[in-house]
């Protein structure tokens, strides 16, 4: 078994979509980034790559590469999952936390879990997603950005 941790932050700006765990969430601002800026999926991918000692998503999907402009991060997650499978790794479980003052995310979490589980070839009960605020403190509390943490356990098959 191997454990990995991922962390990511994206800035909230006007005129961008807000996509978390592959779910487009109606909000007056969205996350800025080269890809769809899905901060949750990015944290999960970094945790997966970290557990397998395969570096990070910046190495695999460089943000200066036009191939990844506006990329659907779930498609990148497919590629990470395939990379791990080639090396004999499958997901044991994932626990992720999205840190956002607004919007309220609870009603979107079931769909995020389903998206992430499907793309990683995992069952729903292996994938947990939580959301929290930071009580108005710091850059997430001030609404400047959204952060996500993820912890992953990989198993050899
Ligand atoms: Mg990112």
């Amino acid at each position: 078994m191997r454990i990995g941790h991922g962390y990511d932050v994206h800035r909230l700006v006007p005129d961008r979509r807000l996509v978390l765990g592959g779910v487009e969430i109606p909000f007056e601002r969205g996350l800025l980034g080269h890809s769809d800026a899905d901060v949750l999926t990015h944290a999960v991918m970094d945790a997966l790559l970290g557990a397998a000692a395969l570096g990070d998503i910046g190495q695999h999907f460089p943000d200066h590469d036009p191939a990844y402009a506006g990329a659907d991060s779930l498609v990148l997650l497919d590629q990470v999952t395939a990379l791990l499978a080639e090396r004999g790794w499958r997901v044991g479980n994932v626990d992720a936390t999205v840190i956002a003052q607004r919007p309220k995310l609870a009603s979107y979490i079931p769909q995020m879990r389903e998206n992430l589980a499907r793309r990683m070839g995992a069952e729903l009960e292996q994938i947990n997603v939580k959301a929290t605020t930071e009580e108005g403190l710091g850059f997430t509390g001030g609404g400047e950005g959204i952060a996500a943490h993820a912890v992953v356990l990989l198993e050899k098959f």
Side-chain angles (χ1 to χ4, degrees):
M1 293 187 297
R2 297 280 289 260
I3 193 164
H5 169 258
Y7 174 66
D8 196 25
V9 172
H10 283 266
R11 187 181 293 273
L12 273 170
V13 296
D15 303 319
R16 284 276 302 184
R17 298 185 308 144
L18 175 58
V19 180
L20 294 170
V23 182
E24 185 161 345
I25 295 165
F27 191 50
E28 76 256 17
R29 289 177 299 153
L31 293 173
L32 182 63
H34 184 64
S35 66
D36 62 6
D38 183 339
V39 67
L40 169 59
T41 302
H42 292 184
V44 169
M45 287 192 284
D46 260 347
L48 292 167
L49 291 167
L54 289 171
D56 62 39
I57 57 171
Q59 291 166 24
H60 292 270
F61 312 111
D63 66 5
H64 50 78
D65 186 337
Y68 304 116
D72 176 348
S73 294
L74 290 182
V75 172
L76 305 183
L77 179 57
D78 290 339
Q79 294 179 34
V80 170
T81 301
L83 205 63
L84 296 181
E86 278 167 26
R87 288 161 175 77
W89 293 112
R90 69 174 172 215
V91 171
N93 76 297
V94 173
D95 185 23
T97 305
V98 178
I99 304 167
Q101 192 66 32
R102 286 194 314 129
K104 286 273 176 251
L105 299 176
S107 60
Y108 302 101
I109 284 178
Q111 188 63 54
M112 293 180 203
R113 287 178 66 207
E114 209 171 301
N115 290 347
L116 294 171
R118 191 175 64 245
R119 306 311 270 257
M120 290 187 284
E123 300 297 323
L124 208 50
E125 54 270 24
Q126 292 170 274
I127 310 301
N128 193 60
V129 175
K130 312 186 289 301
T132 186
T133 72
E134 286 187 304
E135 301 285 341
L137 297 169
F139 71 83
T140 68
E144 291 171 70
I146 293 180
H149 291 266
V151 177
V152 163
L153 190 78
L154 292 184
E155 299 169 336
K156 274 279 181 190
F157 61 83

